[in-house]
Amino acid sequence: EVQLVESGGGLVQAGGSLRLSCAASGFTFDDYAIGWFRQAPGKEREGVSCISSSDGSPYYAVAVKGRFTISRDNAKNTVYLQMNSLKPEDTAVYYCAARPGGCSPWEYDYWGQGTQVTVSS
């Protein structure tokens, strides 16, 4: 059974930090890039960050560059998203997703259930 399980969301004040985790099972984790996406109420889903399967190269959306850091621990089949200097506009449900090979906007095979992040002003 393929599973991606997000955790670490919660309620924080503006300027605070959270670390999200994405725990994977049921597929060859080392062969997959892992992306983070988010969806706020009334808005379409947007890409936040991604980390490659090969060399671990990170990619970030302009809106989060310099504030968020993505990393992966292949031995633990887990990807992390460290979120610092959080803003109210970061409020959303955050999802992790997996695709073979390198990062891309398209063709993600597996998705987690999401974790809520709420940032108060």
Side-chain angles (χ1 to χ4, degrees):
E1 179 185 359
V2 171
Q3 285 190 291
L4 292 171
V5 181
E6 303 95 334
S7 61
L11 173 63
V12 298
Q13 294 186 7
S17 298
L18 286 172
R19 189 181 75 159
L20 305 184
S21 297
C22 174
S25 61
F27 63 97
T28 307
F29 182 81
D30 295 5
D31 293 336
Y32 282 73
I34 306 296
W36 285 97
F37 300 81
R38 67 187 183 186
Q39 187 166 24
K43 294 187 176 181
E44 295 185 349
R45 186 178 62 208
E46 63 176 340
V48 176
S49 185
C50 183
I51 187 162
S52 173
S53 65
S54 55
D55 58 5
S57 298
Y59 301 89
Y60 301 97
V62 171
V64 307
K65 188 179 291 291
R67 299 187 296 120
F68 292 9
T69 302
I70 192 169
S71 61
R72 69 188 295 157
D73 186 339
N74 287 343
K76 296 182 178 180
N77 286 3
T78 301
V79 168
Y80 305 96
L81 186 67
Q82 179 67 47
M83 306 187 297
N84 298 327
S85 302
L86 283 162
K87 305 174 180 179
E89 51 263 45
D90 295 319
T91 295
V93 177
Y94 283 71
Y95 302 88
C96 63
R99 70 178 304 278
C103 288
S104 170
W106 322 113
E107 297 181 313
Y108 286 85
D109 296 334
Y110 310 124
W111 291 81
Q113 83 291 340
T115 185
Q116 177 71 49
V117 171
T118 303
V119 185
S120 62
S121 59

